[in-house]
Amino acid sequence: NAGVTQTPKFQVLKTGQSMTLQCAQDMNHNSMYWYRQDPGMGLRLIYYSASEGTTDKGEVPNGYNVSRLNKREFSLRLESAAPSQTSVYFCASSEDGGVNPQHFGDGTRLSIL
Amino acid sequence: RKEVEQDPGPFNVPEGATVAFNCTYSNSASQSFFWYRQDCRKEPKLLMSVYSSGNEDGRFTAQLNRASQYISLLIRDSKLSDSATYLCVVNEGTSWGKLQFGAGTQVVVTP
């Protein structure tokens, strides 16, 4: 049982390049999330999808877009990467929002030069 | 003011000792509470949920104090493998309710 799978695990981009981070879960969860984590800071929510077909902005959405492709997959796109987007990105899923804990993928380490 | 606040530590704990730390939250309507552990910038992993009456999972005990709006985690008989950052997680309190993560408390267990 893979849980939440993220690809790629590492990526280096140049400023202005674009890329898509992929996330898939096999737990039949309704809700999915994208976070970033920077040194000394907690996880910050970028975007989330409460259920298939819906997406909403989180705390730090600027510079990102998302697509909930189907129930399993939730992708995060950087259209024009900036050095400030250097971070570790985590995807998570939960059975539903609210009272349920989230399960995390093992992260994407992204560096923007 | 941050919605979820934690002492960053580090808490340096001799092996076999007990360590406890708290987390305060600002939203009195919050309904769900969790402790996660995170190792060296790896993914956060659910340690335990926190229930109103308090709950225990092996050497770990979690308590909730709604009146003072804090949750606590106590680790007994600390093991070297308990060295990690412990994240306090609280839901927003709305009907759907996104989770709010604290920045974490670092625990270092020494031989």
Side-chain angles (χ1 to χ4, degrees), chain B residues 95-111:
Chain B
S95 58
W96 190 79
K98 299 185 291 295
L99 297 183
Q100 303 286 342
F101 287 78
T105 294
Q106 186 183 8
V107 172
V108 179
V109 182
T110 56

Side-chain angles (χ1 to χ4, degrees), chain B residues 2 13 20 26 29 39 50 79-80 84:
Chain B
K2 292 181 181 178
V13 187
S26 60
D39 297 286
V50 185
K79 312 292 185 190
L80 295 176

Side-chain angles (χ1 to χ4, degrees), chain A residues 21-79:
Chain A
L21 281 62
Q22 306 287 352
C23 175
Q25 52 91 9
D26 62 4
M27 296 174 281
N28 201 35
H29 284 168
N30 289 313
S31 305
M32 298 185 73
Y33 315 81
W34 276 105
Y35 293 90
R36 61 177 289 173
Q37 187 175 37
D38 301 296
M41 301 185 72
L43 290 160
R44 291 187 292 168
L45 184 64
I46 304 171
Y47 271 93
Y48 65 99
S49 171
S51 60
E52 185 179 358
T54 69
T55 61
D56 285 286
K57 295 178 180 179
E59 182 185 353
V60 287
N62 291 343
Y64 306 94
N65 284 301
V66 291
S67 295
R68 183 75 183 266
L69 304 171
N70 48 54
K71 190 172 186 179
R72 290 187 64 248
E73 298 173 286
F74 188 38
S75 62
L76 178 71
R77 182 161 178 83
L78 287 70
E79 291 291 352

Side-chain angles (χ1 to χ4, degrees), chain A residues 12-18 78-86 111-113:
Chain A
V12 178
L13 294 177
K14 294 181 179 178
T15 297
Q17 287 185 314
S18 62
L78 287 70
E79 291 291 352
S80 178
S84 61
Q85 295 178 303
T86 293
S111 293
I112 316 296
L113 304 178

Side-chain angles (χ1 to χ4, degrees), chain B residues 6-72:
Chain B
Q6 296 184 250
D7 183 336
F11 285 66
N12 295 297
V13 187
E15 194 174 7
T18 296
V19 61
F21 42 90
N22 295 338
C23 158
T24 59
Y25 62 94
S26 60
N27 189 342
S28 60
S30 293
Q31 301 164 17
S32 301
F33 308 88
F34 309 96
W35 283 105
Y36 279 69
R37 75 170 274 166
Q38 187 174 28
D39 297 286
C40 296
R41 301 291 297 280
K42 292 188 176 180
E43 76 274 22
K45 293 184 178 179
L46 179 66
L47 179 66
M48 59 196 302
S49 301
V50 185
Y51 303 118
S52 297
S53 56
N55 50 297
E56 198 172 294
D57 183 358
R59 298 181 293 106
F60 297 85
T61 300
Q63 297 280 352
L64 168 63
N65 185 316
R66 285 191 184 275
S68 301
Q69 293 183 211
Y70 72 88
I71 65 173
S72 64

